[in-house]
Amino acid sequence: MATSEEELFASVDALLEEEPQLPPPAERARLREAAGITQARLAAAMKTSTQSIKNWENGRSEPKEPRLSAYRRLLNGWAAKHPAHGTAPAPADPHSETVPKTSTSPTAPAAPATQSVASAELSAMPVAPASPAARPATSSRRPAPKKTAGPALDPRFPHGPLAVLDGDGSAYGVHGIVLDCPARTIPELVEWTLKESGLGAPKLHRNGKDSDPLIILTAAAAVKLGLPERLEGHEQRRSLRLPADHPVVKQVARAKWQLTQRGFGPWARIYRKAQGRERQCVQLAILSWDALDERSWPGVADMEPADIARVLGVYATRVITPRGSTAVSGLELMTALRPPTRAVQDRATGNWVSGHNPGSLGTEPMDPAPPEATAEHPVVVNSGWTGGFLNEEAYQWVRDVDLLSDEECTLPYAVGLDLNTAFLAAAARLVVGLSAPDHFHAPAFNPKIPGSWLVDLSHIELDPRLPSPFTPDGTRPTGPAWYQTHTVAYAQELGYNVHPLEAYLRRESGAYLDPWHDRLKTAYVDTLADLGVTKDLDDGQFLAAMERHKQAEPAMAAVLAAIKATVKGGVGKLRERPQGKSYKQGERWPALERPTWRPDIRAAVISKARVNMHRKLSNMAKMTGLFPLAVLSDCVVYPSPGESPLDFLPYAASGKPQPGGFRLGPTPGLAKLEGVQTMLWAVDLMEQGLNPARHIKGGDAVLDEGE
């Protein structure tokens, strides 16, 4: 059959365009051994597991891009240096290409340099010159993450705390690591995670426990493993679970694994009873089931897998490996940093046994005093308590428009200031109760004893242009009420005598939240610094940096949002209310079985935060004569002659901020600009009975009172 030159050239071009093949598995092993490289060293250089290298060399699996191109380049380099027996070495020509081009077209795209996953160790190995036209990555879902210097990994967990599993079996970890996961079912995934993945994180306290590995499933991975892409129902998907008769739930049971009482939902924990000291537990998070709440993790669920791994990896390194919502993680962090038990020696037997860890909340739940509980709590319902409750909540206050002066109304702007993580700042050196409450009648007030006091503060008269420090709505108390220690101590600080009628006090106390505060403060400050907001900036530079910090790097901005949500959510979880339509008043709900269900600690944090806010408001009035228009939690709105906080904040002649008032800065408790509107706009809202602090940013701010 006659064949034209064009047909022959087309056939040859088709061959040239085919993907270059790797050498046979046995040859891959020979080349590595000839180079004197161990499987473990090659795995570290290729950012994968030793088991993956074994699989490549015995033909069980093949590497995927971008690792495929790097591996082929390495093998070609070794082949040039260590030819098979009877084969002459390839000539050392610096201008030759050891990998064929993928296309004869001059416009064929060259692979980006960032696709290489080889580490410095890999680049030190002898390799042939790189091809300028190596095949580009086959999927745009694998962007090369930024190379950032990470902390030294625990040798037991060489691949970090977590991985994001995609539908093609690629598991994206921290620092650019990509693992090959062969699992096709959830039980296989659990086995692979525990035995082969090298995932996990060391304990945060010497008496604590290592963090279980976390696998985040993309929608494609969930479907591949037999899960529905979405959880359907009328409720929020975060509250839904797979039914007990779902095939995946049955698979888990048949494989002798167990699910926690939460069942198989967006955050599922799969475990077996520990064998000795070794825990057998894997945490799963399903992205398409709304595991990552948009309010806490803005934009993260829509990121590429490698970027999701980076965001969650930074959070895991600086805070804790996520174990659920940011609220759950905030509460878990408290326990991880203050483990309930420690090893103690039994004097009688000499054996080491588990004992109480001083400074912790212990292992058993503790009932609150009746005024510290909620109305539906069994302590209240069963006792018939009618003596009132603590009302320690964040501010929701608007000044009466009749108290606005003509001078204030003529100012052009209303400027909102927001305190950085106000609840976290309040947790610093906060002494809280560690033992059960005891009831006292007519006790002498002691500001050093944490507890709840029934006291009449209605006689205290303060400037009506400021909110009362004793009530969330800022109105003056009308009679005796229950207050947390910090609120009563502030009344005493203002120069008034206090005479409690009753009190529920705790004899044992300590700064339980100190390590929690320290870790989250460091995480917050470090993450802001990554976004260009550092402590060495002056106030003008700080405001400019804050204006652009979220656009600087969306991934790190998402980490910052998650850290802030962890603070507020963790405080809120200390008084988690019953959930579900079937709940009946007086019944115990699951949260009550946690030692960390402690509404008194939540009240202490919020009381101190509100007192701190009032102290700054009062000092501002004394130093500048300025009074706020409104306060919402940690946001305060002031009338201003200009659009910047610099136009009204108090500064000394030296240019330094005056102590005692609001100060700008990147650390917890300092302030940042929340928003700017016209004074006319603010007054209009006030006349409607609305709070300008809720809308100063341009939307509807969510009041988060730690719920």
Side-chain angles (χ1 to χ4, degrees):
M1 179 184 293
T3 303
S4 68
E5 182 178 356
E6 290 79 5
E7 290 175 324
L8 287 172
F9 273 49
S11 298
V12 170
D13 286 346
L15 289 176
L16 286 173
E17 290 174 0
E18 284 186 8
E19 179 182 345
Q21 298 297 310
L22 291 171
E27 176 65 4
R28 303 171 199 173
R30 184 195 73 79
L31 290 171
R32 176 184 54 76
E33 291 169 356
I37 303 299
T38 65
Q39 289 179 329
R41 185 182 174 198
L42 178 57
M46 295 292 293
K47 302 288 189 183
T48 188
S49 65
T50 304
Q51 184 61 48
S52 292
I53 301 298
K54 292 179 180 178
N55 292 342
W56 299 349
E57 293 185 355
N58 60 29
R60 288 180 58 191
S61 69
E62 296 289 307
K64 300 179 178 66
E65 290 293 358
R67 193 167 283 102
L68 175 61
S69 295
Y71 190 44
R72 185 189 303 116
R73 176 188 174 192
L74 177 64
L75 293 176
N76 285 334
W78 280 340
K81 194 168 185 179
H82 307 287
H85 182 68
T87 304
D93 182 357
H95 302 291
S96 66
E97 294 178 353
T98 59
V99 181
K101 291 182 179 179
T102 59
S103 171
T104 57
S105 168
T107 59
T114 54
Q115 286 178 354
S116 174
V117 299
S119 66
E121 182 176 355
L122 178 61
S123 62
M125 297 179 183
V127 293
S131 166
R135 185 175 68 84
T138 58
S139 171
S140 63
R141 293 176 58 80
R142 299 181 187 178
K146 281 192 174 183
K147 299 297 181 182
T148 55
L153 295 175
D154 188 300
R156 296 171 301 154
F157 311 117
H159 299 138
L162 54 84
V164 180
L165 180 62
D166 207 355
D168 62 357
S170 298
Y172 297 83
V174 299
H175 308 312
I177 290 174
V178 185
L179 307 174
D180 293 315
C181 176
R184 296 185 178 274
T185 66
I186 291 294
E188 288 179 3
L189 174 62
V190 173
E191 295 280 359
W192 173 83
T193 303
L194 292 174
K195 295 179 180 179
E196 299 183 32
S197 71
L199 296 173
K203 55 193 176 186
L204 299 180
H205 188 282
R206 59 190 179 92
N207 294 321
K209 299 174 182 177
D210 294 334
S211 287
D212 300 316
L214 168 63
I215 300 293
I216 302 99
L217 304 180
T218 66
V223 171
K224 177 184 175 182
L225 295 169
L227 298 170
E229 182 175 347
R230 307 289 290 180
L231 278 180
E232 300 300 334
H234 299 294
E235 304 174 67
Q236 286 184 316
R237 277 188 287 271
R238 289 188 299 278
S239 64
L240 295 178
R241 304 287 180 267
L242 286 182
D245 60 353
H246 191 278
V248 170
V249 177
K250 290 182 176 181
Q251 276 181 357
V252 171
R254 283 197 301 270
K256 308 299 184 189
W257 291 98
Q258 299 180 52
L259 292 164
T260 61
Q261 291 183 348
R262 289 191 296 178
F264 207 119
W267 290 89
R269 293 180 73 80
I270 302 177
Y271 72 98
R272 284 177 182 154
K273 290 185 177 180
Q275 302 294 323
R277 294 184 178 181
E278 294 299 320
R279 287 167 59 82
Q280 297 186 83
C281 183
V282 173
Q283 176 82 60
L284 301 181
I286 297 93
L287 292 174
S288 58
W289 294 6
D290 295 340
L292 298 181
D293 189 325
E294 177 66 19
R295 294 171 301 176
S296 302
W297 300 97
V300 177
D302 297 325
M303 292 180 179
E304 302 298 339
D307 291 324
I308 296 173
R310 179 173 176 240
V311 170
L312 296 181
V314 172
Y315 179 90
T317 301
R318 294 181 178 178
V319 182
I320 193 172
T321 302
R323 303 183 186 183
S325 66
T326 48
V328 169
S329 297
L331 201 67
E332 292 281 353
L333 181 62
M334 295 180 194
T335 303
L337 295 170
R338 292 279 198 189
T341 61
R342 65 171 181 170
V344 296
Q345 194 167 27
D346 188 327
R347 292 183 179 180
T349 64
N351 295 330
W352 289 93
V353 296
S354 180
H356 177 72
N357 185 27
S360 75
L361 300 182
T363 58
E364 298 299 321
M366 182 185 299
D367 278 339
E372 297 166 349
T374 55
E376 65 271 20
H377 195 286
V379 163
V380 174
V381 176
N382 296 338
S383 67
W385 174 261
T386 58
F389 299 96
L390 277 176
N391 190 24
E392 300 288 10
E393 303 295 344
Y395 268 133
Q396 292 190 70
W397 172 82
V398 180
R399 201 203 311 179
D400 188 334
V401 289
D402 293 336
L403 296 176
L404 291 175
S405 67
D406 292 340
E407 182 181 0
E408 286 176 317
C409 290
T410 58
L411 290 173
Y413 297 104
V415 176
L417 292 176
D418 180 74
L419 295 183
N420 302 323
T421 56
F423 288 171
L424 184 61
R429 299 179 296 282
L430 177 68
V431 176
V432 300
L434 300 177
S435 57
D438 291 321
H439 192 195
F440 297 87
H441 291 279
F445 178 68
N446 187 333
K448 295 183 179 180
I449 299 179
S452 303
W453 309 77
L454 180 63
V455 61
D456 189 350
L457 302 178
S458 62
H459 63 285
I460 299 178
E461 187 171 357
L462 300 173
D463 194 313
R465 291 174 292 179
L466 292 176
S468 167
F470 310 124
T471 60
D473 63 2
T475 59
R476 183 173 173 176
T478 56
W482 289 96
Y483 301 99
Q484 201 276 335
T485 297
H486 283 88
T487 304
V488 184
Y490 189 57
Q492 204 173 55
E493 178 185 323
L494 293 174
Y496 295 91
N497 293 324
V498 293
H499 303 285
L501 305 173
E502 285 182 68
Y504 284 90
L505 309 177
R506 288 169 166 80
R507 299 179 188 273
E508 295 180 27
S509 61
Y512 171 73
L513 292 174
D514 258 9
W516 185 80
H517 162 270
D518 294 348
R519 185 167 178 84
L520 284 169
K521 176 184 177 181
T522 300
Y524 180 81
V525 172
D526 288 352
T527 306
L528 264 182
D530 289 339
L531 291 165
V533 186
T534 56
K535 295 180 181 179
D536 58 346
L537 301 178
D538 64 33
D539 285 358
Q541 293 170 330
F542 167 75
L543 290 172
M546 286 300 296
E547 188 174 354
R548 60 176 180 266
H549 80 283
K550 289 186 179 180
Q551 288 73 42
E553 192 174 354
M556 294 309 294
V559 175
L560 186 69
I563 292 170
K564 293 191 287 186
T566 301
V567 173
K568 288 189 174 180
V571 172
K573 277 284 184 180
L574 292 167
R575 197 191 68 171
E576 184 178 357
R577 306 295 283 266
Q579 301 174 18
K581 298 178 181 178
S582 61
Y583 175 76
K584 295 180 181 179
Q585 195 171 40
E587 293 179 345
R588 293 187 71 83
W589 59 93
L592 299 187
E593 307 311 315
R594 299 191 317 250
T596 48
W597 196 86
R598 291 294 300 273
D600 57 301
I601 297 180
R602 173 186 177 275
V605 172
I606 297 177
S607 167
K608 186 178 175 184
R610 197 182 65 245
V611 164
N612 286 347
M613 172 65 83
H614 190 276
R615 189 180 287 112
K616 293 179 187 296
L617 296 173
S618 181
N619 288 338
M620 281 285 291
K622 294 173 185 175
M623 288 186 286
T624 67
L626 286 176
F627 291 87
L629 302 176
V631 183
L632 182 78
S633 189
D634 48 12
C635 176
V636 56
V637 177
Y638 275 103
S640 171
E643 298 182 74
S644 170
L646 301 177
D647 294 318
F648 66 89
L649 288 180
Y651 289 86
S654 64
K656 293 185 178 180
Q658 291 280 20
F662 293 100
R663 296 177 56 189
L664 300 175
T667 56
L670 298 186
K672 60 180 179 292
L673 176 64
E674 179 72 358
V676 182
Q677 300 287 347
T678 66
M679 185 65 179
L680 186 62
W681 169 91
V683 173
D684 184 51
L685 286 184
M686 295 167 71
E687 289 176 339
Q688 298 178 53
L690 301 176
N691 192 327
R694 183 182 296 277
H695 307 281
I696 192 74
K697 202 171 184 177
D700 186 2
V702 176
L703 172 63
D704 195 331
E705 300 174 328
E707 288 291 357

